[in-house]
Amino acid sequence: MLLNLVYSLALLTLWPYFLYHAVLHGKYREHWREKFLGAAPQMPTSACGRPRVWFHAVSVGEVNLLKTLIARLNANELHWDFVVSTTSKTGYDLARRLFAHSCEVFYCPLDFTWAVKRALRRVKPDALVLIELELWPNLIKYAHKRNVPVVVVNGRISERSFRSYHRVRALLAPTFARLALVIAQDDLARDYFQKLSPRPERVLVSGSIKFDGASTDRNAEPTARLRELLRVLPEDVVYLCGSTQAPEEEGALEVYRRLYRDYPNLRLFIVPRHPERFEQVAQLLNASGLPWTRRSQLQAPLSAQTPNVDRNDDPTRIVLVDVMGELSALWGVAQLAFVGGSWGSRGGQNMLEPAGYGVAVSFGENTRNFRTIVESLLRADAAVVVRDVEESFRFVKTCLDQPEYARQLGQRAQELVLANQGAADFTLKALQDLLAHGNQS
C-alpha cells in the first residue's frame, strides 16, 4: 500500500506536466481505463495448452526489438499465444501497426496494486517478458504471486541507472529476487544485474537482439518503396540524420548548407525522435530559406511529381520525415548517417540499424545507452564519433570526397552486425526451457 501512496503523490506532483502534454500534444489522454484500472483485454483460457506470453515493450525502440523476437518466434514455429503491452503512445501506435492482426495490443497498467492485479487476472499469462528493463515492483510482485515467471530479455542498465538502483538496492532486492530470469545483452549489463540481484545465478548473457533486428537488405520491399517514393537516384548521396533531438537538426542543416552547392547529389533527410517536435523542426527548415518538403506530403513517387526541377531548387533534396515507424527501413536508402540522441543527454539511439545496411555511420560522444555496441563499432573501425558541427562537417565531406573510405566504413559495420547475430534464438530457447519447467522460485 505504501507504493500506491508514493505513486499517487508522484502523479499529483506531476499533474501539471501531464495536463500540459495532454492538451498540447494529445498524450496521456487515451486508454485511461487500461492504465489506471488495469482494463487489459479479457483473454480466454489459452487453447490446447498453448502457453500465453505477455510481452511488455515500453516505447518504439523496444517494440522494434520485440518485432525481431516475434519474427524469430514465428520462424521457429513456436505455437505460443501472446499479447503485447506498451507504455508510450508512439510505442502503442507502432505495436498496433505491427501486431494488431496477430495479438491483442494494450497499454500496460500503471503500477498500482488494483490495476496490475486486474490486468493479470484478465490476461492470464503463463510468462511476463519485459523488454530491456521495466522494474515495476507491484507488477512483478503480483505476477510472482500468481506463479507467473517474470523474465527480462535483452536486459540493459546504464551506468547512471545502476548507480541509482545500487543506492536503494535494499528496497529493490525483493523485486530483483522475483525475476525468474534475466537475459542481459552484454557482459557489462550482466555484471550490473548480478550486483543488484540476490539471485545472480539467474542472469545470463545472450548478446543484443538489436543485432538480429538490423536488416542488411537494401532491396527489401519497405526500403525499395521508400527509395522510389523519395526519388533516391543511384548517383545520390543521402545523409540521413535519424532519431534526432535539439540541437542535432540544426547541426545537420548547417553541415548540409556548407556542402550542398559543391555536391549537387547530396541530400539531407531528418527524422526527429519525437513526433511533437515535427513542427519545431519544420520552423527551423522554414527559417533556413532552403527548399524542403515533408515526408507526409509524399503519397506517390516523386519522379511523377517533380519532373525537370533544377537540383538546387528541388524541395526533395531536404526531407523532414514527419511520420512514425519508417526509420528502420529508411536507413537502407542512405549512404551516410548521423544517429541522434548523442549530442544531448539522451544517451544515444540504435546505431545498428544503419550499420546493418552498410551505411557509413557517425554519432556523438554521449552514447551511454549503447556503450558496448559503440565500443565494438569503434574497435572495428566501423563508425566515427563526431562531437560537434565541425566534426560532422569533416566526416560528411571526407565521405563525399573519398567514396571508397565511406564504402569500407559501412562494409566493416555490416560485417560486425552479421557476426553478432543469434541473440534472438538464444532468448527464445531460454524462454522455452522456462515455460517447460514453470516458475521455480
Side-chain angles (χ1 to χ4, degrees):
M1 297 304 292
L2 179 60
L3 267 177
N4 293 335
L5 178 60
V6 171
Y7 293 146
S8 298
L9 290 174
L11 280 176
L12 286 172
T13 302
L14 296 171
W15 184 250
Y17 168 86
F18 291 127
L19 182 63
Y20 170 80
H21 283 278
V23 172
L24 201 65
H25 303 302
K27 297 175 71 175
Y28 311 116
R29 294 188 300 196
E30 299 177 340
H31 302 270
W32 64 270
R33 293 182 69 253
E34 291 180 4
K35 299 172 188 175
F36 287 95
L37 301 180
Q42 180 71 59
M43 304 294 295
T45 301
S46 187
C48 304
R50 291 164 56 147
R52 176 175 296 137
V53 180
W54 174 353
F55 291 106
H56 176 57
V58 180
S59 193
V60 170
E62 292 81 8
V63 171
N64 276 320
L65 188 146
L66 180 56
K67 176 179 68 173
T68 302
L69 199 59
I70 289 177
R72 295 305 303 152
L73 188 158
N74 292 330
N76 291 339
E77 297 185 348
L78 297 179
H79 300 296
W80 299 351
D81 291 335
F82 59 90
V83 298
V84 173
S85 67
T86 69
T87 299
S88 74
K89 184 179 187 305
T90 52
Y92 176 83
D93 291 342
L94 178 59
R96 289 282 298 170
R97 288 200 295 273
L98 293 174
F99 309 127
H101 297 297
S102 56
C103 74
E104 294 283 354
V105 176
F106 59 99
Y107 278 97
C108 190
L110 297 177
D111 201 43
F112 292 105
T113 299
W114 59 84
V116 299
K117 289 172 72 174
R118 186 184 184 202
L120 286 163
R121 284 197 307 269
R122 293 172 69 90
V123 173
K124 304 180 186 69
D126 294 294
L128 171 60
V129 177
L130 309 176
I131 308 298
E132 296 203 337
L133 183 62
E134 273 285 282
L135 280 183
W136 292 111
N138 278 333
L139 179 60
I140 293 171
K141 174 183 176 180
Y142 288 102
H144 185 266
K145 281 193 170 187
R146 292 178 63 90
N147 204 37
V148 174
V150 182
V151 183
V152 174
V153 305
N154 210 60
R156 71 178 179 90
I157 303 180
S158 69
E159 184 177 356
R160 178 185 298 178
S161 295
F162 171 73
R163 290 197 301 266
S164 299
Y165 289 146
H166 199 260
R167 283 193 290 268
V168 294
R169 62 189 181 278
L171 293 175
L172 288 175
T175 299
F176 277 102
R178 292 178 181 121
L179 296 175
L181 190 63
V182 175
I183 305 175
Q185 62 179 253
D186 54 48
D187 291 339
L188 179 64
R190 177 197 58 197
D191 292 345
Y192 284 162
F193 276 111
Q194 288 183 331
K195 288 175 182 176
L196 292 168
S197 175
R199 312 291 290 272
E201 71 280 1
R202 296 185 177 188
V203 182
L204 308 176
V205 179
S206 65
S208 177
I209 297 174
K210 287 185 170 69
F211 283 102
D212 296 83
S215 175
T216 60
D217 184 5
R218 286 178 175 263
N219 295 315
E221 190 278 330
T223 296
R225 177 179 55 81
L226 287 169
R227 185 182 296 111
E228 181 183 14
L229 184 72
L230 296 166
R231 199 182 62 176
V232 178
L233 305 176
E235 61 268 25
D236 286 345
V237 178
V238 175
Y239 178 39
L240 175 54
C241 300
S243 292
T244 55
Q245 64 180 50
E248 291 163 344
E249 298 93 359
E250 186 175 357
L253 195 57
E254 177 61 23
V255 169
Y256 176 81
R257 188 198 304 276
R258 292 170 63 177
L259 290 169
Y260 80 101
R261 293 190 185 279
D262 293 331
Y263 300 90
N265 293 326
L266 178 63
R267 298 179 66 180
L268 173 64
F269 296 171
I270 299 177
V271 190
R273 169 69 174 169
H274 295 111
E276 56 265 31
R277 295 195 60 250
F278 290 161
E279 287 308 314
Q280 179 184 344
V281 178
Q283 291 173 18
L284 176 69
L285 291 169
N286 281 333
S288 74
L290 294 169
W292 65 281
T293 193
R294 291 175 180 264
R295 160 66 184 92
S296 59
Q297 294 176 345
L298 307 177
Q299 303 301 327
L302 290 172
S303 55
Q305 297 176 348
T306 56
N308 302 320
V309 175
D310 182 271
R311 215 71 207 273
N312 284 329
D313 298 323
D314 185 351
T316 67
R317 284 191 68 181
I318 301 177
V319 179
L320 169 60
V321 181
D322 58 346
V323 298
M324 297 296 295
E326 291 186 342
L327 180 57
S328 295
L330 192 62
W331 287 118
V333 309
Q335 288 73 42
L336 315 178
F338 172 80
V339 183
S342 56
W343 279 1
S345 59
R346 186 167 298 279
Q349 298 296 337
N350 185 5
M351 58 284 296
L352 291 179
E353 288 183 337
Y357 288 110
V359 180
V361 178
S362 68
F363 41 76
E365 59 183 341
N366 299 316
T367 52
R368 64 179 183 275
N369 293 337
F370 296 86
R371 179 175 169 179
T372 303
I373 288 172
V374 167
E375 289 173 355
S376 298
L377 285 166
L378 296 180
R379 194 163 49 244
D381 192 19
V384 174
V385 176
V386 291
R387 296 167 181 82
D388 51 32
V389 174
E390 189 58 36
E391 291 190 3
S392 283
F393 168 77
R394 289 202 296 269
F395 167 75
V396 175
K397 189 173 190 306
T398 298
C399 289
L400 292 168
D401 289 339
Q402 302 176 41
E404 183 60 18
Y405 163 80
R407 189 194 68 78
Q408 291 184 10
L409 188 68
Q411 180 177 325
R412 289 191 293 270
Q414 187 178 62
E415 289 171 353
L416 179 73
V417 168
L418 291 170
N420 282 277
Q421 292 182 338
D425 287 332
F426 179 98
T427 298
L428 289 176
K429 178 63 167 60
L431 289 175
Q432 271 186 291
D433 292 344
L434 186 72
L435 287 166
H437 295 97
N439 192 5
Q440 299 178 351
S441 301

